[in-house]
mmCIF file of all heavy atoms in Angstrom:
data_model
loop_
_atom_site.group_PDB
_atom_site.id
_atom_site.type_symbol
_atom_site.label_atom_id
_atom_site.label_comp_id
_atom_site.label_asym_id
_atom_site.label_seq_id
_atom_site.Cartn_x
_atom_site.Cartn_y
_atom_site.Cartn_z
ATOM 1 N N PHE A 316 -133.843 -118.416 -41.741
ATOM 2 C CA PHE A 316 -134.098 -117.244 -42.579
ATOM 3 C C PHE A 316 -133.567 -115.995 -41.892
ATOM 4 O O PHE A 316 -134.298 -115.199 -41.313
ATOM 5 C CB PHE A 316 -135.592 -117.109 -42.866
ATOM 6 C CG PHE A 316 -135.886 -116.104 -43.940
ATOM 7 C CD1 PHE A 316 -135.376 -116.265 -45.216
ATOM 8 C CD2 PHE A 316 -136.667 -114.999 -43.690
ATOM 9 C CE1 PHE A 316 -135.631 -115.337 -46.218
ATOM 10 C CE2 PHE A 316 -136.932 -114.064 -44.682
ATOM 11 C CZ PHE A 316 -136.410 -114.244 -45.942
ATOM 12 N N ASP A 318 -130.200 -112.930 -41.747
ATOM 13 C CA ASP A 318 -129.096 -112.255 -42.422
ATOM 14 C C ASP A 318 -128.026 -111.942 -41.381
ATOM 15 O O ASP A 318 -128.344 -111.706 -40.212
ATOM 16 C CB ASP A 318 -129.588 -110.932 -43.032
ATOM 17 C CG ASP A 318 -130.255 -111.151 -44.373
ATOM 18 O OD1 ASP A 318 -129.954 -112.168 -45.023
ATOM 19 O OD2 ASP A 318 -131.079 -110.311 -44.764
ATOM 20 N N ARG A 331 -125.905 -104.907 -42.891
ATOM 21 C CA ARG A 331 -125.772 -106.316 -43.247
ATOM 22 C C ARG A 331 -124.313 -106.540 -43.585
ATOM 23 O O ARG A 331 -123.765 -105.879 -44.475
ATOM 24 C CB ARG A 331 -126.652 -106.629 -44.450
ATOM 25 C CG ARG A 331 -127.850 -107.451 -44.051
ATOM 26 C CD ARG A 331 -128.744 -107.669 -45.205
ATOM 27 N NE ARG A 331 -128.204 -108.671 -46.126
ATOM 28 C CZ ARG A 331 -128.879 -109.119 -47.172
ATOM 29 N NH1 ARG A 331 -130.095 -108.680 -47.407
ATOM 30 N NH2 ARG A 331 -128.364 -110.028 -47.963
ATOM 31 N N PRO A 447 -142.806 -114.531 -45.409
ATOM 32 C CA PRO A 447 -141.636 -113.822 -45.951
ATOM 33 C C PRO A 447 -141.431 -114.131 -47.433
ATOM 34 O O PRO A 447 -140.553 -113.566 -48.072
ATOM 35 C CB PRO A 447 -140.478 -114.387 -45.127
ATOM 36 C CG PRO A 447 -140.921 -115.772 -44.776
ATOM 37 C CD PRO A 447 -142.415 -115.769 -44.681
ATOM 38 N N GLU A 448 -142.215 -115.050 -47.971
ATOM 39 C CA GLU A 448 -142.171 -115.334 -49.410
ATOM 40 C C GLU A 448 -143.507 -115.965 -49.782
ATOM 41 O O GLU A 448 -144.203 -116.523 -48.922
ATOM 42 C CB GLU A 448 -141.028 -116.288 -49.767
ATOM 43 C CG GLU A 448 -141.143 -117.654 -49.104
ATOM 44 C CD GLU A 448 -140.066 -118.643 -49.552
ATOM 45 O OE1 GLU A 448 -138.956 -118.202 -49.896
ATOM 46 O OE2 GLU A 448 -140.345 -119.855 -49.563
ATOM 47 N N ARG A 480 -140.576 -108.780 -44.770
ATOM 48 C CA ARG A 480 -139.267 -109.117 -44.178
ATOM 49 C C ARG A 480 -138.779 -107.942 -43.345
ATOM 50 O O ARG A 480 -138.787 -106.807 -43.820
ATOM 51 C CB ARG A 480 -138.235 -109.421 -45.270
ATOM 52 C CG ARG A 480 -138.601 -110.633 -46.079
ATOM 53 C CD ARG A 480 -137.524 -110.968 -47.107
ATOM 54 N NE ARG A 480 -138.007 -112.034 -47.964
ATOM 55 C CZ ARG A 480 -137.351 -112.547 -48.976
ATOM 56 N NH1 ARG A 480 -136.138 -112.094 -49.265
ATOM 57 N NH2 ARG A 480 -137.863 -113.510 -49.713
ATOM 58 N N GLU A 482 -136.173 -106.316 -42.799
ATOM 59 C CA GLU A 482 -134.827 -106.108 -43.345
ATOM 60 C C GLU A 482 -133.968 -105.299 -42.375
ATOM 61 O O GLU A 482 -134.439 -104.348 -41.758
ATOM 62 C CB GLU A 482 -134.916 -105.370 -44.680
ATOM 63 C CG GLU A 482 -135.642 -106.131 -45.771
ATOM 64 C CD GLU A 482 -134.789 -107.220 -46.404
ATOM 65 O OE1 GLU A 482 -133.615 -107.355 -46.026
ATOM 66 O OE2 GLU A 482 -135.322 -107.939 -47.283
ATOM 67 N N ILE A 489 -137.645 -98.236 -53.006
ATOM 68 C CA ILE A 489 -138.444 -99.461 -53.098
ATOM 69 C C ILE A 489 -137.613 -100.690 -53.484
ATOM 70 O O ILE A 489 -138.162 -101.745 -53.741
ATOM 71 C CB ILE A 489 -139.623 -99.284 -54.084
ATOM 72 C CG1 ILE A 489 -139.110 -98.819 -55.442
ATOM 73 C CG2 ILE A 489 -140.644 -98.287 -53.516
ATOM 74 C CD1 ILE A 489 -140.173 -98.816 -56.525
ATOM 75 N N PHE A 490 -136.279 -100.545 -53.507
ATOM 76 C CA PHE A 490 -135.448 -101.722 -53.800
ATOM 77 C C PHE A 490 -135.528 -102.731 -52.651
ATOM 78 O O PHE A 490 -135.629 -103.930 -52.859
ATOM 79 C CB PHE A 490 -133.989 -101.310 -54.016
ATOM 80 C CG PHE A 490 -133.088 -102.485 -54.276
ATOM 81 C CD1 PHE A 490 -133.012 -103.031 -55.553
ATOM 82 C CD2 PHE A 490 -132.346 -103.063 -53.255
ATOM 83 C CE1 PHE A 490 -132.207 -104.139 -55.789
ATOM 84 C CE2 PHE A 490 -131.540 -104.167 -53.492
ATOM 85 C CZ PHE A 490 -131.471 -104.703 -54.767
ATOM 86 N N ARG A 491 -135.436 -102.233 -51.428
ATOM 87 C CA ARG A 491 -135.484 -103.137 -50.275
ATOM 88 C C ARG A 491 -136.513 -102.604 -49.294
ATOM 89 O O ARG A 491 -136.278 -101.628 -48.598
ATOM 90 C CB ARG A 491 -134.104 -103.233 -49.628
ATOM 91 C CG ARG A 491 -134.023 -104.315 -48.589
ATOM 92 C CD ARG A 491 -132.633 -104.475 -48.038
ATOM 93 N NE ARG A 491 -131.675 -104.878 -49.069
ATOM 94 C CZ ARG A 491 -131.595 -106.100 -49.599
ATOM 95 N NH1 ARG A 491 -132.402 -107.049 -49.174
ATOM 96 N NH2 ARG A 491 -130.708 -106.373 -50.517
ATOM 97 N N MET A 492 -137.669 -103.265 -49.281
ATOM 98 C CA MET A 492 -138.764 -102.803 -48.439
ATOM 99 C C MET A 492 -139.058 -103.839 -47.359
ATOM 100 O O MET A 492 -138.632 -104.988 -47.452
ATOM 101 C CB MET A 492 -140.026 -102.629 -49.290
ATOM 102 C CG MET A 492 -139.841 -101.656 -50.428
ATOM 103 S SD MET A 492 -140.995 -101.999 -51.743
ATOM 104 C CE MET A 492 -142.354 -100.964 -51.255
ATOM 105 N N ARG A 493 -139.814 -103.406 -46.366
ATOM 106 C CA ARG A 493 -140.199 -104.366 -45.327
ATOM 107 C C ARG A 493 -141.509 -105.055 -45.709
ATOM 108 O O ARG A 493 -141.805 -106.141 -45.262
ATOM 109 C CB ARG A 493 -140.271 -103.665 -43.972
ATOM 110 C CG ARG A 493 -138.902 -103.102 -43.574
ATOM 111 C CD ARG A 493 -138.681 -103.019 -42.075
ATOM 112 N NE ARG A 493 -137.257 -102.937 -41.792
ATOM 113 C CZ ARG A 493 -136.567 -101.814 -41.621
ATOM 114 N NH1 ARG A 493 -137.162 -100.636 -41.668
ATOM 115 N NH2 ARG A 493 -135.277 -101.848 -41.358
ATOM 116 N N GLU A 494 -142.311 -104.401 -46.509
ATOM 117 C CA GLU A 494 -143.519 -105.005 -47.074
ATOM 118 C C GLU A 494 -143.397 -104.846 -48.580
ATOM 119 O O GLU A 494 -143.264 -103.724 -49.069
ATOM 120 C CB GLU A 494 -144.760 -104.262 -46.558
ATOM 121 C CG GLU A 494 -146.027 -104.707 -47.228
ATOM 122 C CD GLU A 494 -147.268 -103.962 -46.712
ATOM 123 O OE1 GLU A 494 -147.210 -103.340 -45.640
ATOM 124 O OE2 GLU A 494 -148.287 -104.008 -47.418
ATOM 125 N N PHE A 495 -143.389 -105.949 -49.306
ATOM 126 C CA PHE A 495 -143.188 -105.857 -50.752
ATOM 127 C C PHE A 495 -144.000 -106.935 -51.448
ATOM 128 O O PHE A 495 -144.712 -107.694 -50.809
ATOM 129 C CB PHE A 495 -141.688 -105.956 -51.088
ATOM 130 C CG PHE A 495 -141.032 -107.235 -50.628
ATOM 131 C CD1 PHE A 495 -140.804 -108.283 -51.520
ATOM 132 C CD2 PHE A 495 -140.649 -107.407 -49.306
ATOM 133 C CE1 PHE A 495 -140.198 -109.462 -51.107
ATOM 134 C CE2 PHE A 495 -140.049 -108.591 -48.876
ATOM 135 C CZ PHE A 495 -139.820 -109.612 -49.781
ATOM 136 N N GLU A 496 -143.910 -106.935 -52.768
ATOM 137 C CA GLU A 496 -144.714 -107.915 -53.509
ATOM 138 C C GLU A 496 -143.817 -108.782 -54.380
ATOM 139 O O GLU A 496 -142.887 -108.275 -55.008
ATOM 140 C CB GLU A 496 -145.752 -107.170 -54.364
ATOM 141 C CG GLU A 496 -146.807 -108.101 -54.908
ATOM 142 C CD GLU A 496 -148.045 -107.374 -55.438
ATOM 143 O OE1 GLU A 496 -148.337 -106.243 -54.994
ATOM 144 O OE2 GLU A 496 -148.707 -107.960 -56.304
ATOM 145 N N GLN A 497 -144.118 -110.062 -54.380
ATOM 146 C CA GLN A 497 -143.339 -110.985 -55.198
ATOM 147 C C GLN A 497 -144.194 -111.562 -56.323
ATOM 148 O O GLN A 497 -145.425 -111.635 -56.206
ATOM 149 C CB GLN A 497 -142.835 -112.155 -54.339
ATOM 150 C CG GLN A 497 -141.753 -111.768 -53.361
ATOM 151 C CD GLN A 497 -141.200 -112.973 -52.622
ATOM 152 O OE1 GLN A 497 -141.967 -113.793 -52.136
ATOM 153 N NE2 GLN A 497 -139.890 -113.072 -52.538
ATOM 154 N N GLU A 499 -144.003 -115.094 -58.171
ATOM 155 C CA GLU A 499 -143.223 -116.335 -58.112
ATOM 156 C C GLU A 499 -143.899 -117.442 -58.902
ATOM 157 O O GLU A 499 -145.120 -117.498 -59.016
ATOM 158 C CB GLU A 499 -143.059 -116.791 -56.660
ATOM 159 C CG GLU A 499 -142.277 -115.798 -55.819
ATOM 160 C CD GLU A 499 -141.717 -116.415 -54.546
ATOM 161 O OE1 GLU A 499 -142.516 -116.840 -53.690
ATOM 162 O OE2 GLU A 499 -140.489 -116.464 -54.409
ATOM 163 N N HIS A 539 -124.874 -118.057 -57.797
ATOM 164 C CA HIS A 539 -124.627 -117.977 -56.351
ATOM 165 C C HIS A 539 -123.417 -118.801 -55.941
ATOM 166 O O HIS A 539 -123.272 -119.938 -56.359
ATOM 167 C CB HIS A 539 -125.827 -118.540 -55.585
ATOM 168 C CG HIS A 539 -126.978 -117.597 -55.564
ATOM 169 N ND1 HIS A 539 -127.920 -117.614 -54.577
ATOM 170 C CD2 HIS A 539 -127.330 -116.594 -56.400
ATOM 171 C CE1 HIS A 539 -128.809 -116.674 -54.821
ATOM 172 N NE2 HIS A 539 -128.480 -116.050 -55.928
ATOM 173 N N TYR A 545 -132.057 -124.916 -49.457
ATOM 174 C CA TYR A 545 -132.924 -125.788 -50.252
ATOM 175 C C TYR A 545 -132.431 -126.004 -51.685
ATOM 176 O O TYR A 545 -133.028 -126.745 -52.432
ATOM 177 C CB TYR A 545 -134.339 -125.184 -50.299
ATOM 178 C CG TYR A 545 -134.347 -123.724 -50.698
ATOM 179 C CD1 TYR A 545 -134.115 -123.355 -52.014
ATOM 180 C CD2 TYR A 545 -134.538 -122.719 -49.750
ATOM 181 C CE1 TYR A 545 -134.085 -122.029 -52.393
ATOM 182 C CE2 TYR A 545 -134.523 -121.375 -50.124
ATOM 183 C CZ TYR A 545 -134.291 -121.041 -51.437
ATOM 184 O OH TYR A 545 -134.257 -119.725 -51.807
ATOM 185 N N ASP A 551 -128.943 -115.277 -60.019
ATOM 186 C CA ASP A 551 -129.760 -114.062 -59.963
ATOM 187 C C ASP A 551 -129.718 -113.410 -61.329
ATOM 188 O O ASP A 551 -128.685 -113.447 -62.006
ATOM 189 C CB ASP A 551 -129.176 -113.033 -58.978
ATOM 190 C CG ASP A 551 -129.225 -113.519 -57.549
ATOM 191 O OD1 ASP A 551 -130.063 -114.388 -57.245
ATOM 192 O OD2 ASP A 551 -128.413 -113.020 -56.740
ATOM 193 N N GLU A 562 -129.525 -107.609 -57.481
ATOM 194 C CA GLU A 562 -130.497 -108.668 -57.782
ATOM 195 C C GLU A 562 -131.894 -108.119 -58.075
ATOM 196 O O GLU A 562 -132.436 -107.310 -57.321
ATOM 197 C CB GLU A 562 -130.592 -109.623 -56.585
ATOM 198 C CG GLU A 562 -131.714 -110.632 -56.749
ATOM 199 C CD GLU A 562 -131.785 -111.661 -55.619
ATOM 200 O OE1 GLU A 562 -130.810 -111.777 -54.849
ATOM 201 O OE2 GLU A 562 -132.814 -112.349 -55.531
ATOM 202 N N LEU A 563 -132.444 -108.607 -59.186
ATOM 203 C CA LEU A 563 -133.815 -108.270 -59.556
ATOM 204 C C LEU A 563 -134.692 -109.511 -59.452
ATOM 205 O O LEU A 563 -135.843 -109.453 -59.009
ATOM 206 C CB LEU A 563 -133.813 -107.721 -60.994
ATOM 207 C CG LEU A 563 -135.135 -107.530 -61.699
ATOM 208 C CD1 LEU A 563 -136.019 -106.541 -60.942
ATOM 209 C CD2 LEU A 563 -134.895 -106.997 -63.112
ATOM 210 N N GLU A 564 -134.137 -110.641 -59.865
ATOM 211 C CA GLU A 564 -134.920 -111.883 -59.894
ATOM 212 C C GLU A 564 -134.014 -113.044 -59.524
ATOM 213 O O GLU A 564 -132.821 -113.021 -59.830
ATOM 214 C CB GLU A 564 -135.470 -112.073 -61.313
ATOM 215 C CG GLU A 564 -136.093 -113.436 -61.550
ATOM 216 C CD GLU A 564 -137.068 -113.464 -62.725
ATOM 217 O OE1 GLU A 564 -137.148 -112.460 -63.463
ATOM 218 O OE2 GLU A 564 -137.755 -114.493 -62.882
ATOM 219 N N GLY A 565 -134.583 -114.036 -58.863
ATOM 220 C CA GLY A 565 -133.820 -115.237 -58.527
ATOM 221 C C GLY A 565 -134.388 -116.437 -59.275
ATOM 222 O O GLY A 565 -135.604 -116.568 -59.423
ATOM 223 N N HIS A 567 -134.061 -120.482 -58.980
ATOM 224 C CA HIS A 567 -133.501 -121.446 -58.036
ATOM 225 C C HIS A 567 -133.945 -122.861 -58.359
ATOM 226 O O HIS A 567 -135.124 -123.089 -58.608
ATOM 227 C CB HIS A 567 -133.970 -121.125 -56.603
ATOM 228 C CG HIS A 567 -133.783 -119.698 -56.204
ATOM 229 N ND1 HIS A 567 -134.799 -118.897 -55.749
ATOM 230 C CD2 HIS A 567 -132.669 -118.923 -56.222
ATOM 231 C CE1 HIS A 567 -134.331 -117.683 -55.490
ATOM 232 N NE2 HIS A 567 -133.047 -117.661 -55.776
ATOM 233 N N GLU A 602 -137.719 -122.779 -59.441
ATOM 234 C CA GLU A 602 -138.467 -121.577 -59.051
ATOM 235 C C GLU A 602 -137.959 -120.348 -59.801
ATOM 236 O O GLU A 602 -136.753 -120.155 -59.944
ATOM 237 C CB GLU A 602 -138.273 -121.350 -57.550
ATOM 238 C CG GLU A 602 -138.642 -119.961 -57.086
ATOM 239 C CD GLU A 602 -138.386 -119.751 -55.594
ATOM 240 O OE1 GLU A 602 -137.229 -119.467 -55.223
ATOM 241 O OE2 GLU A 602 -139.338 -119.890 -54.830
ATOM 242 N N SER A 604 -138.429 -116.234 -59.184
ATOM 243 C CA SER A 604 -138.974 -115.349 -58.151
ATOM 244 C C SER A 604 -138.481 -113.927 -58.377
ATOM 245 O O SER A 604 -137.283 -113.649 -58.307
ATOM 246 C CB SER A 604 -138.496 -115.845 -56.783
ATOM 247 O OG SER A 604 -138.873 -114.923 -55.795
ATOM 248 N N ILE A 605 -139.436 -113.056 -58.682
ATOM 249 C CA ILE A 605 -139.033 -111.674 -58.971
ATOM 250 C C ILE A 605 -139.813 -110.722 -58.079
ATOM 251 O O ILE A 605 -140.996 -110.950 -57.796
ATOM 252 C CB ILE A 605 -139.228 -111.350 -60.479
ATOM 253 C CG1 ILE A 605 -139.025 -109.849 -60.753
ATOM 254 C CG2 ILE A 605 -140.579 -111.772 -61.010
ATOM 255 C CD1 ILE A 605 -138.895 -109.520 -62.217
ATOM 256 N N GLY A 606 -139.153 -109.679 -57.604
ATOM 257 C CA GLY A 606 -139.825 -108.678 -56.786
ATOM 258 C C GLY A 606 -140.523 -107.674 -57.698
ATOM 259 O O GLY A 606 -139.885 -107.079 -58.567
ATOM 260 N N LEU A 607 -141.819 -107.517 -57.486
ATOM 261 C CA LEU A 607 -142.585 -106.583 -58.330
ATOM 262 C C LEU A 607 -142.093 -105.147 -58.124
ATOM 263 O O LEU A 607 -141.972 -104.371 -59.071
ATOM 264 C CB LEU A 607 -144.082 -106.717 -57.997
ATOM 265 C CG LEU A 607 -145.059 -105.777 -58.676
ATOM 266 C CD1 LEU A 607 -144.863 -105.709 -60.177
ATOM 267 C CD2 LEU A 607 -146.496 -106.210 -58.380
ATOM 268 N N ASP A 608 -141.786 -104.814 -56.878
ATOM 269 C CA ASP A 608 -141.335 -103.444 -56.585
ATOM 270 C C ASP A 608 -139.968 -103.174 -57.214
ATOM 271 O O ASP A 608 -139.698 -102.090 -57.703
ATOM 272 C CB ASP A 608 -141.273 -103.222 -55.074
ATOM 273 C CG ASP A 608 -142.522 -103.737 -54.407
ATOM 274 O OD1 ASP A 608 -142.575 -104.943 -54.077
ATOM 275 O OD2 ASP A 608 -143.467 -102.961 -54.254
ATOM 276 N N ARG A 609 -139.104 -104.209 -57.188
ATOM 277 C CA ARG A 609 -137.781 -104.029 -57.804
ATOM 278 C C ARG A 609 -137.915 -103.883 -59.306
ATOM 279 O O ARG A 609 -137.174 -103.131 -59.945
ATOM 280 C CB ARG A 609 -136.870 -105.208 -57.478
ATOM 281 C CG ARG A 609 -136.285 -105.059 -56.117
ATOM 282 C CD ARG A 609 -135.136 -105.992 -55.868
ATOM 283 N NE ARG A 609 -134.906 -106.032 -54.430
ATOM 284 C CZ ARG A 609 -134.062 -106.827 -53.833
ATOM 285 N NH1 ARG A 609 -133.350 -107.689 -54.541
ATOM 286 N NH2 ARG A 609 -133.912 -106.783 -52.528
ATOM 287 N N MET A 610 -138.858 -104.631 -59.873
ATOM 288 C CA MET A 610 -139.089 -104.522 -61.319
ATOM 289 C C MET A 610 -139.611 -103.120 -61.641
ATOM 290 O O MET A 610 -139.217 -102.515 -62.637
ATOM 291 C CB MET A 610 -140.092 -105.598 -61.746
ATOM 292 C CG MET A 610 -140.269 -105.710 -63.233
ATOM 293 S SD MET A 610 -138.732 -106.170 -64.064
ATOM 294 C CE MET A 610 -139.094 -105.646 -65.735
HETATM 295 P P1 ATP B 1081 -131.612 -109.890 -51.368
HETATM 296 O O1 ATP B 1081 -130.356 -110.730 -51.492
HETATM 297 O O2 ATP B 1081 -131.574 -108.657 -52.210
HETATM 298 O O3 ATP B 1081 -132.054 -109.658 -49.971
HETATM 299 P P2 ATP B 1081 -133.049 -112.317 -51.641
HETATM 300 O O4 ATP B 1081 -132.045 -113.173 -52.340
HETATM 301 O O5 ATP B 1081 -133.261 -112.477 -50.196
HETATM 302 O O6 ATP B 1081 -132.786 -110.778 -52.002
HETATM 303 P P3 ATP B 1081 -135.265 -113.817 -52.589
HETATM 304 O O7 ATP B 1081 -135.566 -114.405 -51.295
HETATM 305 O O8 ATP B 1081 -134.639 -114.673 -53.650
HETATM 306 O O9 ATP B 1081 -134.422 -112.470 -52.399
HETATM 307 O O10 ATP B 1081 -136.599 -113.139 -53.147
HETATM 308 C C1 ATP B 1081 -136.934 -113.120 -54.509
HETATM 309 C C2 ATP B 1081 -137.080 -111.714 -55.028
HETATM 310 O O11 ATP B 1081 -137.909 -110.936 -54.158
HETATM 311 C C3 ATP B 1081 -135.785 -110.937 -55.093
HETATM 312 O O12 ATP B 1081 -135.091 -111.227 -56.299
HETATM 313 C C4 ATP B 1081 -136.246 -109.513 -55.049
HETATM 314 O O13 ATP B 1081 -136.603 -109.046 -56.339
HETATM 315 C C5 ATP B 1081 -137.488 -109.574 -54.189
HETATM 316 N N1 ATP B 1081 -137.190 -109.104 -52.828
HETATM 317 C C6 ATP B 1081 -136.607 -109.792 -51.832
HETATM 318 N N2 ATP B 1081 -136.515 -109.037 -50.716
HETATM 319 C C7 ATP B 1081 -137.058 -107.839 -51.033
HETATM 320 C C8 ATP B 1081 -137.275 -106.637 -50.300
HETATM 321 N N3 ATP B 1081 -136.926 -106.525 -49.033
HETATM 322 N N4 ATP B 1081 -137.871 -105.593 -50.935
HETATM 323 C C9 ATP B 1081 -138.235 -105.689 -52.228
HETATM 324 N N5 ATP B 1081 -138.068 -106.799 -52.960
HETATM 325 C C10 ATP B 1081 -137.493 -107.872 -52.381
#
Side-chain angles (χ1 to χ4, degrees):
F316 192 60
D318 278 336
R331 252 176 75 174
E448 62 175 30
R480 296 183 187 178
E482 297 282 358
I489 55 172
F490 178 82
R491 190 175 297 286
M492 302 155 91
R493 298 209 160 94
E494 173 180 343
F495 59 100
E496 193 165 335
Q497 289 185 313
E499 297 199 296
H539 284 206
Y545 50 74
D551 294 337
E562 172 176 345
L563 169 60
E564 170 159 8
H567 310 124
E602 163 182 82
S604 173
I605 171 167
L607 176 49
D608 314 86
R609 279 194 196 174
M610 188 62 200

